[in-house]
Amino acid sequence: RTEFALKEIMSSGGAEDDIPQAERKTVTDFCYLLDKSKQLFNGLRDLPQYGQKQWQSYFGRTFDVYTKLWKFQQQHRQVLDNRYGLKRWQIGEIASKIGQLYYHYYLRTSETSYLNEAFSFYSAIRQRSYYSQVNKEDRPELVVKKLRYYARFIVVCLLLNKMDVVKDLVKELSDEIEDYTHRFNTEDQVEWNLVLQEVAAFIEADPVMVLNDDNTIVITSNRLSETGAPLLEQGMIVGQLALADALIIGNCNNQVKFSELTIDMFRMLQALEREPMNLASQMNKPGMQESTEKPARRENPHKYLLYKPTFSQLYTFLAASFKELPANSVLLIYLSATGVFPSGRSDSEGPYDFGGVLTNSNRDIINGDALHKRNQSYKEMHCLHPGDLYPFTRKPLFIIVDSSNSVAYKNFTNLFGQPLVCLLSPTAYPKALQDQSQRGSLFTLFLNNPLMAFLFVSGLSSMRRGLWEKCQDYLRKINRDIAQLLTHSRSIDQSFLQFFGDEFLRLLLTRFVFCSATMRMHKIFRETRNYPESYPQLPRDETVENPHLQKHILELASILDVRNVFLENTLDDY
């Protein structure tokens, strides 16, 4: 392929003999690197998606070739322009592939700094207008490359919370799609318009806006910062376990999604990451990062993002995570999915008799439960039952279930004596609360951004930055107090404390208690099914119904002038 391309290039540039040997070699070397890079990039698709070791050397080789290719075209741009006819969109393609490499490296390592690398390459493409000439060529496939670049850039910006850039990109993409469909009259117009609708809904998913004095929206980040988790105070006796691996599973009907990421999955993955550092500050712009370099601090837990996985896919990833879990480490499973309820009455009460959650929707089931009516003993194949997770309780397991049938996981049994906790969402929300399910679950919002969730249940939809920051400070104080309540409790199950040494799990546990206490005090959350639950159960009087914590919640409500939404004397009502 390279030889054919070379002959064509050389002959179009005049007689072959007129071309100096050095320039001929430059073109040959460039063609070789370009071919090699494409070959390696295409091979990435064949790598197993699970398991953390098999893919690393292949990624390293791919990075090396792209580093060489990028530097080579920079050093020999003039020769490549004259002799190869290098077009700007071809440089854009190389930069776009490097951006994709960094994004996929982030997905595999969960190291947020690689998102910054992807962003720097994608930004360079836009700033240097590498794709600007594509529209002049009568080749729809080139325009599709440009549209895909925009979609990928948007995903990276969403993950980095660069919402102002996202809005600009959406506007540009909208114009590009209009131009593309107008010029080529293609069949994929509907698909591209759906992409636009999805990202527009994604941007507007937050139920509360935080505003600057000039009414511009403040971008809030919900990744773990230095001051994020309540510190462990002297005398707190907690376990030394560390969160090493997480499966984030999403299958909620009608929930806002973009690029195989539901809003719940998006919120949870950010709750399990630290604020990104910029690796490229000392590099050339756009910088190539050596794949061997690592940020100098504790890594993020590794994550698998599974959108609508089949049972076999889910079990394969679970088994891979379980197998590779280091000593003294925790596996977290987050399930945001539609509930599957038991069909008919069962005489037994085993781990497969309470239903579970549906991780992959079969059309014939969703469109009217036809199979259930035909066969009462039929069990949904892609339902994950509590019993399905029993084998994995041989190691420390932390489970979060956000579903209309989360309570199925209350019927857990700890067979192996390892630390095990399940945090379970309410199974229903009060009808008086405006239905926000399409914009994400309230329970997951509490775990990701508790102040925003608190404002939403208090009926507030916007807030000034100064007041927001004051409330965030107060919420940090509440979190510190919750941490003390948990560690000083006499009757709490030890599993909670064994997980408490890890910053991410500590923050999730304190936010869970805050969520539960808030809902129990709220005037319209009056049914048991409106409250989160846990396995093992928390001692209520020492945690979620503790008078000291209730006083704090009322004080937070007073700062926001929404005290009337909450019950004053909750203890008298039980």
Side-chain angles (χ1 to χ4, degrees), residues 42-291:
N42 292 337
L44 292 173
R45 293 188 198 115
D46 303 327
L47 293 177
Q49 292 299 305
Y50 49 85
Q52 293 180 45
K53 302 291 174 275
Q54 303 94 315
W55 53 269
Q56 280 181 323
S57 61
Y58 191 95
F59 253 90
R61 290 208 308 281
T62 312
F63 267 116
D64 288 344
V65 170
Y66 271 99
T67 307
K68 285 176 190 160
L69 179 63
W70 185 252
K71 287 178 179 167
F72 194 89
Q73 63 81 24
Q74 282 179 320
Q75 289 159 358
H76 304 283
R77 182 75 57 81
Q78 199 166 359
V79 174
L80 292 171
D81 281 352
N82 296 338
R83 301 298 185 193
Y84 179 83
L86 185 66
K87 293 186 166 62
R88 287 187 69 72
W89 67 261
Q90 289 172 305
I91 302 168
E93 269 298 278
I94 297 169
S96 181
K97 288 279 199 298
I98 295 170
Q100 284 178 67
L101 265 181
Y102 276 121
Y103 173 65
H104 284 290
Y105 205 69
Y106 155 72
L107 287 181
R108 292 208 179 237
T109 61
S110 299
E111 179 45 68
T112 32
S113 307
Y114 293 113
L115 282 174
N116 279 329
E117 295 298 302
F119 178 80
S120 93
F121 273 89
Y122 285 150
S123 291
I125 293 169
R126 184 164 167 248
Q127 285 160 5
R128 299 173 191 179
S129 308
Y130 282 140
Y131 280 125
S132 62
Q133 300 301 307
V134 159
N135 295 23
K136 292 180 181 172
E137 303 204 23
D138 196 26
R139 292 171 61 188
E141 73 279 8
L142 284 185
V143 183
V144 169
K145 282 180 191 284
K146 184 179 187 176
L147 300 182
R148 284 184 178 152
Y149 149 72
Y150 269 107
R152 291 182 183 117
F153 194 5
I154 287 168
V155 172
V156 168
C157 291
L158 284 172
L159 288 166
L160 286 170
N161 290 310
K162 295 183 184 287
M163 294 304 175
D164 45 348
V165 185
V166 172
K167 285 171 184 169
D168 291 343
L169 292 174
V170 168
K171 190 178 180 312
E172 288 172 29
L173 177 58
S174 177
D175 294 343
E176 293 289 346
I177 291 169
E178 200 174 318
D179 180 64
Y180 167 64
T181 51
H182 180 70
R183 282 173 61 210
F184 298 108
N185 195 21
T186 58
E187 290 176 7
D188 54 357
Q189 179 178 358
V190 176
E191 289 165 41
W192 281 111
N193 283 329
L194 185 62
V195 168
L196 281 178
Q197 286 165 25
E198 283 185 349
V199 73
F202 210 90
I203 296 168
E204 289 164 16
D206 282 353
V208 179
M209 285 189 297
V210 185
L211 300 170
N212 285 310
D213 292 339
D214 61 357
N215 282 344
T216 54
I217 295 172
V218 178
I219 309 302
T220 57
S221 172
N222 300 304
R223 286 191 170 91
L224 183 64
S225 61
E226 298 299 320
T227 57
L231 294 170
L232 290 173
E233 295 176 18
Q234 251 183 334
M236 283 187 180
I237 299 166
V238 297
Q240 299 303 306
L241 296 171
L243 177 60
D245 228 48
L247 271 79
I248 296 179
I249 298 145
N251 178 34
C252 277
N253 290 338
N254 305 324
Q255 196 175 94
V256 167
K257 65 166 268 290
F258 186 63
S259 180
E260 301 217 326
L261 206 57
T262 65
I263 193 72
D264 276 359
M265 293 170 72
F266 176 74
R267 284 174 177 153
M268 186 47 61
L269 78 86
Q270 299 222 343
L272 300 179
E273 290 181 347
R274 299 169 195 282
E275 280 297 341
M277 296 190 313
N278 192 356
L279 294 178
S281 49
Q282 74 281 16
M283 300 280 167
N284 296 331
K285 292 264 178 199
M288 272 305 293
Q289 170 67 24
E290 291 298 323
S291 55

Side-chain angles (χ1 to χ4, degrees), residues 468-481:
W468 170 269
E469 285 169 357
K470 182 182 177 183
C471 291
Q472 284 287 32
D473 284 342
Y474 194 75
L475 196 54
R476 275 190 278 275
K477 177 183 178 346
I478 294 177
N479 266 340
R480 284 197 298 274
D481 286 356

